Amino acid sequence: MSQVQASQSRSAASQDLTLGRNARTGIAITLVATLSGFAGLGYEIVWTRMLAVSLGHELVAVLGVISALFGGLALGSLLLGRAIAASRRPAVWYAGLELVIGAWALVLIVATPLFGDLVPTLVPVDASALRQWSVAFALPFVLLLPATLAMGATLPALEAVLAPRLASGTAVGHVYAANTFGAVAGTLATAFLIIPALGLNATLVLCAVLNALCAAAMLAVARNSAAAPVTRPIRAPETASAALPVLVPLFLTGLLGIGYEVLTVRVLSQILENTIYTFAILLACYLAGTALGAALYARWEANRGPGGEGTIGWLVTLTALACLAGAALLGASGVILSGLKAVLPVTVAGRLSAEVAIAALAFLPPTLAMGALFTALAQRASDRLGGVGPGLAANTLGAALAPMLFGPVLLPLMGAKYAFALLAAAYVLALPLRSRAALAGGGLTLAATLALVFAPISLRFVQVPEGGALEWHRDGVMAAVSVVRNSAGDRHLQVNNHFRMGGSASMRSDHRQAHIPLLLHPNPHSALFLGLGTGATLSAAGDHPGLKVEGVELVPEVVESFPYFERTPPRLAGNPDIRIHVADARRFVRAGTTPYDVIVADLYHPSVDGSGALYAREHFAAIRDRLAPDGLFCQWLPLHQLDIATLRVIVRTFLDVFPDTTAWLAQFSVETPLVALVGRRTPAAYPADWVERRVRDRALAAGLKAVDMDGSFALFGLHLAGPAELARFAGDAPLNTDDRPVVTAAAPGTAYAASERPADRLVALLAALHPAPEALLAGADPATQARLAAYWTARDGYIGMGARALAAKGPRDVIGTLAPQLIELVRISPDFEAAYAPVLAMARQLAVTDPSGARRLLEALDRANPSRPEARRLLSRLPPA
């Protein structure tokens, strides 16, 4: 073999060795990018939960964190991207950035609660909407900046490490796809597995460990490289205007891409369950689509070479059209979801599968195009500007502005449909208009946009019963709120389409939710109500003389709906002792210092993302600190939306803050049972004639009589358990805290697929609790205690009877089946009015067709309770046998 041949052979072998080493290194870098993406989205999920505690509503925190995240990414790319691209050691840069991210994540475990303490000062009670939103966006930006700044520079660093090792300029696509696929895995794993198992702080520690592993792996890649990486020459444009054609499209696509996400999430909130898992599914589908689009474009570009302006023009047009198609599909998403639920099993997995399908339908087509478009634009920026940093900065700056523009501004101003149309039309601005293809694409986009505007497609989902009507609707920043009337003329308040917040038909129960806790206090002068619904509970508090009342409602559109509920507006609008605040409940409690005699918290649907924090120990402790020395706190619980396991968690958490806790029923409903936990600073017991002593005002007495609470037995008959019974019931259930959001993770199971009916749940709860009359009544004689115990026995039997009738869908012979059971309950407890009155009504009905049957019924009722005259009086009016 000649020397030339030998030299060529050695050169070829060396080249093959280099290619093999570069391939292995490329795989290692890709894995690092994936792991980094996993940690990055893990951080986003955790930071959103942590900041929601301080900022308020979950949606506010989501928008604030998204904006802060992209804002920091933009600064990191802009400030560090070019320096990293010019460095001969980008791997070392990358390792340092990962260590900074992890270190700051650990700092945030301590810093986030401290920053949260500033929020009540920065956003005082009744602060303007502008001030609230300014803090919601500014605070996360400042708090997360060190980490997000470093995150923004990691993609340029990865691209700088990988680019010299690839045969073509496709590093951006490879890195972006790998990083985003890791983000998908991080989103799902964090929400479904890690947070429920470890809690928020431990999840941050785990993500910080992943950052350290990424740093170590990259340093190993740098050490194992055969030679120093080849750096590309940096070609900066001569003028700023020369960079604009490259950067402006990236800015616009970042703005519009996240804008599409914000709008879609808000539209789907009207039909999906809005749990922590819903948000994770939506985010994962959005990220998966962009990752797949980036990967497909990178493969296409590797095979065919870089795309020119014509390719980019068609990608812009395809993205705009996909967004319009996605908006049109959203209009049918309610029907599609109903069809999926009909064919999929009624299990948690089945319901989650339906949500995944809807999320994929809404997100995958547009985000596939978005991922390909971003890759093409970012690669062009990297090639022309000497690195991906400036292009990434422009894109993420647009993404940072999107939550501010589309959430608080465009959605409530224009509605979802027209906001989607504006979004699609705005893609035309990103087209390279120098080509005929771009002009054609722009015309096609505008034509399709007009088609959406004039199409009979509605993105407003409101369930209106047959024969009913939609009377009022508002698309707010936080929720869509509707007032719906049924065929009987009853109105109810509907939030995000499927959450009923009360109505004219539930007025009796709504009023009881105010009267029960207020009656349990000896002489309340001030009361605070957290969560207002239709305003009926707050208005009932106006019946109590000398009481100063404040109400707090998060959604301003809910307050706007009050005039649609009769009997409520005059009491609220015309009562100078009632004041309403539009604010977050947790922030309001922490911001003020005035003590209250009574604080009442409304029914929070525990599975809704963000509501679990209102059952957290920290919130209960903050409420305890706002109580007067003899004050009490009442937390109403929707047993129809809670399984027994989650109820035990809430009871255990409540007891941890209020050791002297009692439980009460709102009424004897088996379809929507409501339970109250009433906690005090000091123990209390009551005389047997408590209500008769307590109620002296005629107007209050009339209000109580209207809801069947005009007597001590009517009040004490609602008692379920004292502290000892509740402690036995709760057992060793875990505490629900801000760090360990057990309710947030567990409650969605009931929303997706309840394992038992609410009536059965109530019956099981009654069987588990055994209250003691002597613990409730102070100094009552044995006879009175026995009367109360008999009342509870009759009450439990009445509820059990209702549960059985509901399960059987009602007996065929109502009078023949139910009347004997009710009479037996009257015999057990002559005080139990709920059984006596229905038998009288049945006798009146039967007297028309069967006077002798009515006589037998009334005689049996009179024997069961001879102390009451009503049965004998009605007997005297019947014709002789």
Side-chain angles (χ1 to χ4, degrees):
M1 181 183 294
S2 67
Q3 290 183 348
V4 173
Q5 290 175 323
S7 176
Q8 290 175 341
S9 178
R10 287 193 299 271
S11 176
S14 176
Q15 186 175 9
D16 289 343
L17 181 63
T18 300
L19 289 174
R21 183 183 297 116
N22 283 344
R24 290 192 298 273
T25 302
I27 293 172
I29 294 170
T30 302
L31 291 175
V32 168
T34 304
L35 201 60
S36 178
F38 185 104
L41 261 293
Y43 285 135
E44 180 179 342
I45 296 291
V46 173
W47 289 338
T48 299
R49 317 249 137 240
M50 295 175 73
L51 288 170
V53 171
S54 304
L55 298 176
H57 189 265
E58 196 74 13
L59 179 63
V60 176
V62 168
L63 296 180
V65 170
I66 289 175
S67 181
L69 187 64
F70 283 117
L73 293 176
L75 277 179
S77 300
L78 183 64
L79 298 177
L80 302 175
R82 290 182 59 80
I84 293 171
S87 172
R88 293 180 61 84
R89 305 182 68 189
V92 176
W93 268 96
Y94 178 84
L97 292 169
E98 288 285 354
L99 292 175
V100 169
I101 296 168
W104 190 250
L106 298 178
V107 170
L108 287 177
I109 294 175
V110 178
T112 302
L114 298 178
F115 268 71
D117 292 339
L118 295 176
V119 173
T121 303
L122 297 172
V123 188
V125 174
D126 296 327
S128 66
L130 177 61
R131 184 166 182 175
Q132 291 183 42
W133 281 102
S134 297
V135 173
F137 286 110
L139 180 63
F141 178 78
V142 173
L143 183 62
L144 306 179
L145 186 58
T148 56
L149 199 71
M151 286 179 178
T154 54
L155 187 60
L158 283 169
E159 191 254 359
V161 175
L162 188 59
R165 294 173 169 84
L166 294 180
S168 60
T170 60
V172 172
H174 282 88
V175 171
Y176 180 70
N179 189 259
T180 309
F181 276 126
V184 173
T187 300
L188 297 175
T190 301
F192 282 86
L193 300 174
I194 303 174
I195 290 178
L198 302 179
L200 300 183
N201 290 338
T203 303
L204 287 181
V205 173
L206 176 61
C207 290
V209 171
L210 295 181
N211 292 135
L213 290 176
C214 289
M218 190 59 74
L219 290 176
V221 167
R223 285 195 301 269
N224 293 334
S225 298
V230 178
T231 57
R232 293 168 296 174
I234 305 301
R235 296 191 302 105
E238 294 181 0
T239 62
S241 60
L244 289 180
V246 178
L247 298 180
V248 168
L250 278 164
F251 171 82
L252 286 171
T253 53
L255 175 73
L256 302 176
I258 298 301
Y260 182 87
E261 180 190 11
V262 171
L263 292 177
T264 302
V265 169
R266 272 288 286 108
V267 170
L268 290 180
S269 69
Q270 299 174 84
I271 64 169
L272 302 182
E273 291 295 339
N274 299 318
T275 70
I276 182 177
Y277 306 123
T278 301
F279 175 70
I281 287 169
L282 293 174
L283 183 57
C285 284
Y286 180 89
L287 293 170
T290 57
L292 187 57
L296 291 175
Y297 183 81
R299 180 177 288 261
W300 180 87
E301 193 175 48
N303 294 331
R304 301 198 176 194
E309 287 194 349
T311 301
I312 290 175
W314 284 115
L315 282 175
V316 171
T317 302
L318 179 63
T319 303
L321 294 177
C323 289
L324 291 168
L329 286 172
L330 284 173
S333 58
V335 175
I336 296 171
L337 182 63
S338 297
L340 290 170
K341 288 182 175 180
V343 299
L344 290 171
V346 186
T347 61
V348 174
R351 291 297 185 247
L352 287 174
S353 298
E355 291 200 344
V356 169
I358 293 296
L361 187 71
F363 277 130
L364 286 186
T367 55
L368 279 168
M370 290 176 189
L373 176 60
F374 169 78
T375 303
L377 292 173
Q379 190 65 60
R380 182 177 68 164
S382 178
D383 294 339
R384 293 188 181 181
L385 304 179
V388 76
L392 185 61
N395 184 262
T396 49
L397 178 60
L401 296 176
M404 307 180 199
L405 177 62
F406 285 89
V409 180
L410 291 182
L411 184 63
L413 183 66
M414 305 177 65
K417 178 179 176 179
Y418 296 112
F420 273 118
L422 178 63
L423 181 149
Y427 268 104
V428 174
L429 300 175
L431 286 167
L433 294 177
R434 288 175 292 179
S435 66
R436 290 184 179 180
L439 291 173
L444 183 61
T445 298
L446 293 177
T449 301
L450 290 175
L452 176 67
V453 169
F454 292 106
I457 295 172
S458 175
L459 299 181
R460 175 185 294 174
F461 299 94
V462 183
Q463 295 179 7
V464 179
E466 185 177 354
L470 174 64
E471 296 201 345
W472 181 84
H473 181 90
R474 288 287 186 275
D475 286 312
V477 177
M478 301 176 188
V481 180
S482 311
V483 176
V484 178
R485 175 174 45 82
N486 63 19
S487 57
D490 294 323
R491 293 169 174 162
H492 67 262
L493 180 65
Q494 204 161 274
V495 176
N496 278 342
N497 185 36
H498 49 278
F499 297 123
R500 288 197 176 191
M501 310 296 284
S504 52
S506 65
M507 200 71 69
R508 180 176 183 273
S509 174
D510 295 338
H511 284 188
R512 280 173 161 246
Q513 291 172 51
H515 291 315
I516 291 169
L518 289 172
L519 286 177
L520 292 175
H521 191 282
N523 187 26
H525 296 288
S526 60
L528 172 65
F529 287 77
L530 304 175
L532 303 183
T534 64
T537 301
L538 187 68
S539 71
D543 290 342
H544 291 253
L547 184 68
K548 299 291 183 181
V549 183
E550 292 185 79
V552 179
E553 173 55 49
L554 174 67
V555 182
E557 291 76 19
V558 168
V559 177
E560 292 178 35
S561 74
F562 286 170
Y564 286 85
F565 297 95
E566 313 91 307
R567 301 174 57 190
T568 298
R571 288 172 154 171
L572 294 180
N575 193 330
D577 292 331
I578 297 179
R579 185 181 180 191
I580 296 175
H581 309 272
V582 176
D584 173 76
R586 284 196 59 152
R587 182 173 56 81
F588 185 93
V589 169
R590 294 173 60 220
T593 57
T594 304
Y596 297 94
D597 294 317
V598 175
I599 298 179
V600 181
D602 198 11
L603 305 157
Y604 307 126
H605 195 314
S607 70
V608 175
D609 204 1
S611 293
L614 296 171
Y615 296 116
R617 188 195 184 284
E618 291 84 352
H619 181 49
F620 292 157
I623 288 175
R624 179 193 58 201
D625 294 341
R626 294 296 304 275
L627 289 175
D630 60 345
L632 64 84
F633 168 49
C634 173
Q635 174 67 69
W636 285 104
L637 302 175
L639 195 58
H640 52 292
Q641 297 164 346
L642 275 170
D643 61 10
I644 293 296
T646 307
L647 178 62
R648 284 194 170 98
V649 171
I650 295 175
V651 171
R652 167 82 196 288
T653 305
F654 199 92
L655 282 168
D656 195 63
V657 179
F658 296 98
D660 187 71
T661 295
T662 54
W664 304 75
L665 276 174
Q667 55 182 0
F668 305 141
S669 169
V670 294
E671 294 184 272
T672 56
L674 310 180
V675 175
L677 297 177
V678 177
R680 301 174 173 276
R681 285 182 172 275
T682 55
Y686 301 91
D689 58 347
W690 170 257
V691 173
E692 289 76 14
R693 296 186 189 184
R694 170 78 172 71
V695 178
R696 301 293 185 184
D697 182 78
R698 290 184 178 180
L700 175 58
L704 293 173
K705 186 176 181 60
V707 294
D708 299 321
M709 287 194 62
D710 53 335
S712 294
F713 268 80
L715 173 63
F716 297 143
L718 301 171
H719 178 76
L720 287 178
E725 294 84 21
L726 289 173
R728 283 193 294 271
F729 169 76
D732 58 353
L735 295 177
N736 184 53
T737 67
D738 289 339
D739 180 49
R740 296 296 302 273
V742 181
V743 171
T744 297
T750 302
Y752 288 120
S755 58
E756 71 264 328
R757 297 177 304 117
D760 297 332
R761 209 172 294 146
L762 177 58
V763 170
L765 178 64
L766 294 175
L769 300 176
H770 305 284
E774 62 274 13
L776 180 65
L777 300 180
D781 59 81
T784 302
Q785 294 179 13
R787 283 178 59 196
L788 183 57
Y791 189 102
W792 291 339
T793 300
R795 174 200 68 191
D796 294 354
Y798 181 82
I799 290 172
M801 185 178 69
R804 291 189 297 273
L806 188 65
K809 298 182 180 179
R812 293 182 180 179
D813 181 8
V814 175
I815 295 178
T817 302
L818 297 184
Q821 298 180 50
L822 291 170
I823 290 172
E824 175 61 19
L825 296 180
V826 173
R827 187 193 63 77
I828 293 172
S829 173
D831 300 296
F832 191 63
E833 171 68 20
Y836 192 96
V839 178
L840 280 178
M842 292 177 186
R844 291 190 184 97
Q845 179 184 351
L846 195 61
V848 177
T849 58
D850 185 8
S852 60
R855 177 175 294 277
R856 288 192 298 271
L857 203 61
L858 290 170
E859 288 173 346
L861 182 61
D862 187 53
R863 286 194 300 271
N865 185 3
S867 64
R868 294 188 60 163
E870 290 94 331
R872 287 193 300 276
R873 189 178 299 129
L874 188 55
L875 266 172
S876 65
R877 298 174 187 169
L878 292 177

